[in-house]
Amino acid sequence: MSKGLGLGAGWLKVGGASTSVYCMGAVAGITVYYLAADWWISRRRQAAVVKRSAVETESEKEERGEEYESSGDRYGSLRICGRFVNPFASWRDKTLWDFVRWLATRTAGNGLPSDKSQLEKDLPLARPHLRLLRRLAGEEPEPEPEPDADAEYADYPAIDAIDGDSTMTATWIGQSTCFVQMEGLSILTDPIFKRRTVFSWLGPERLRPVPCQLADLPRPDIVLVSHNHFDHLDVDVVRALGNAVTWYVPLGLRAWFARLGVYRVRELDWWQETEYTARSGRVFRIAATPTQHWSGRTGLDSNASLWCSFLVRGKRASVFHCGDTGYCAAFERIGRLYGSVSLAILPIGSYAPRWYMQHQHIDPDDAVRIHRDLRARRSIGVHWGTFMMSDEHYLAPPRDLAAAAARSGLAGNEFVAPQLGRTVLYAV
């Protein structure tokens, strides 16, 4: 920043330059500095990708009967000039012109109806099965439930008959926020409960109200944060949960939490693993794994922190939380290294237009491909129907997912787009 200001001031070494002219020069200097830095980092990134691609692939070494050394040599995180970059040949750095072109050619409306009742019909809300979630979390359920509180779950087994060791639950709250329970562990992913992404008055607005509030849910044991974009990390949730939970975040994000007084934070690099011991004494293995995306909240902190996905494994069950990503070869490596996943939470929205979005957001076809790469037994499609931040029709993601799943020969319920708020049971 100081270099940019100096550059701008240097351009204005003329007698009597006004404050407004000086400011314009400073802005121009900062802009040129950042554009030059982006160009330099992009060139360095491309060179690093070429160098890494020369490393023998796992299959090549397997053919020669040699043991493959590490997943980190080719798909490890990469930082250049203090900023993280994507070490994948499938990534393309976006330019300012790309962004302007996208804005200039955006299609308006996303097909959203002006009639709110139509939106309510197209995107119906369910109330989470809160009494079940509380019991599985070891909390006392409401002694006298409200009339018809569990009517949506009349076809479910009785609460006391559900075994938490052999049953997982997943409740989609919206965007990439899910509440997952497995073997007595309660997990919250990429939490956001706001009406808008940034502030109450700024950012895309939810298409439908949040199906429940944070306080309605059992307190999670751990929270997985894939990256720091506003629609994946709600500062109000961080303040509300604070140090009462353990936060798992990518490299470079711990300092942001510390500024909020939150220190129970475990920062992980790609392929790094750690253990979490639950109140029951059970031990869960948590791994941070690669994705193809980017980070930033202010415009001045672009890629200062890493982005990642997470794999949580218990004794029998496992869950993969993807966050945001474009498709990259690392997913095949994740599946090869960790084996089958009980449940994968994969994004299926914010993918149009493809020329602009494909490197940072997968579409349903890519999601099905990742489902197969991970060897997931079941997957749910999230990151749609909540905030409109791209150009596809607001109902296209579930329709496109159904078509992609059918083309790939997946079973009818193997990979589905869930209903907002509905608690779904999965046998493990």
Side-chain angles (χ1 to χ4, degrees), residues 40-302:
W40 174 248
I41 291 172
S42 180
R43 291 291 298 271
R44 292 276 304 275
R45 186 198 74 82
Q46 292 171 21
V49 169
V50 170
K51 184 177 179 180
R52 288 188 177 196
S53 65
V55 177
E56 285 185 303
T57 65
E58 179 176 357
S59 59
E60 289 169 343
K61 284 200 171 185
E62 285 177 348
E63 286 175 1
R64 287 172 30 197
E66 297 180 17
E67 183 179 355
Y68 190 68
E69 294 175 1
S70 168
S71 293
D73 52 4
R74 191 173 185 185
Y75 299 120
S77 63
L78 179 62
R79 182 159 32 185
I80 298 174
C81 298
R83 288 163 59 181
F84 290 98
V85 297
N86 285 288
F88 309 113
S90 51
W91 173 259
R92 176 179 174 271
D93 292 303
K94 296 295 186 298
T95 65
L96 180 61
W97 165 245
D98 288 330
F99 180 66
V100 171
R101 176 188 166 197
W102 175 52
L103 291 182
T105 58
R106 288 199 71 180
T107 54
N110 298 99
L112 290 170
S114 56
D115 183 0
K116 290 290 185 181
S117 63
Q118 183 62 45
L119 198 59
E120 293 169 2
K121 179 181 178 181
D122 291 340
L123 296 172
L125 294 182
R127 179 174 172 79
H129 200 336
L130 296 175
R131 295 182 68 243
L132 171 62
L133 301 184
R134 292 191 186 105
R135 192 188 81 74
L136 293 177
E139 298 180 6
E140 288 295 327
E142 299 169 354
E144 292 295 335
E146 299 176 6
D148 298 327
D150 300 335
E152 292 178 273
Y153 304 98
D155 57 335
Y156 279 36
I159 288 177
D160 293 336
I162 296 175
D163 178 15
D165 289 340
S166 59
T167 305
M168 292 179 67
T169 73
T171 307
W172 180 43
I173 307 300
Q175 203 63 348
S176 293
T177 306
C178 291
F179 189 80
V180 178
Q181 291 176 308
M182 51 179 268
E183 299 178 14
L185 182 71
S186 295
I187 306 168
L188 185 64
T189 67
D190 283 4
I192 179 167
F193 288 77
K194 277 187 170 74
R195 186 172 65 90
R196 292 184 181 271
T197 54
V198 184
F199 302 115
S200 60
W201 50 273
L202 180 64
E205 186 175 5
R206 283 182 183 268
L207 301 186
R208 298 299 322 280
V210 66
C212 70
Q213 296 300 320
L214 176 65
D216 297 328
L217 295 168
R219 191 188 74 191
D221 298 300
I222 65 173
V223 184
L224 309 177
V225 178
S226 66
H227 62 296
N228 68 352
H229 285 162
F230 282 101
D231 61 317
H232 292 257
L233 180 57
D234 183 344
V235 67
D236 293 338
V237 175
V238 177
R239 291 191 176 111
L241 294 177
N243 294 297
V245 303
T246 302
W247 299 82
Y248 291 89
V249 305
L251 282 183
L253 201 48
R254 184 193 290 133
W256 182 86
F257 281 81
R259 289 194 291 271
L260 296 172
V262 179
Y263 303 99
R264 197 174 171 184
V265 178
R266 187 74 167 89
E267 200 176 65
L268 298 176
D269 193 4
W270 289 353
W271 307 112
Q272 189 175 358
E273 299 183 15
T274 188
E275 290 183 346
Y276 175 82
T277 303
R279 287 168 287 177
S280 63
R282 296 184 178 186
V283 177
F284 296 85
R285 195 77 181 164
I286 301 173
T289 47
T291 54
Q292 181 175 284
H293 201 57
W294 58 286
S295 69
R297 289 174 77 88
T298 67
L300 299 178
D301 63 346
S302 294

Side-chain angles (χ1 to χ4, degrees), residues 12-26:
L12 294 168
K13 288 183 177 177
V14 292
S18 67
T19 301
S20 60
V21 173
Y22 182 87
C23 290
M24 290 173 62

Side-chain angles (χ1 to χ4, degrees), residues 356-372:
Y356 187 75
M357 292 294 181
Q358 65 176 325
H359 307 100
Q360 56 191 319
H361 289 143
I362 57 176
D363 64 8
D365 283 294
D366 290 332
V368 169
R369 188 176 178 186
I370 293 175
H371 167 84
R372 288 195 174 281

Side-chain angles (χ1 to χ4, degrees), residues 318-335:
S318 58
V319 62
F320 179 84
H321 167 55
C322 188
D324 278 351
T325 190
Y327 184 81
C328 64
F331 290 108
E332 187 178 359
R333 181 68 56 81
I334 295 169

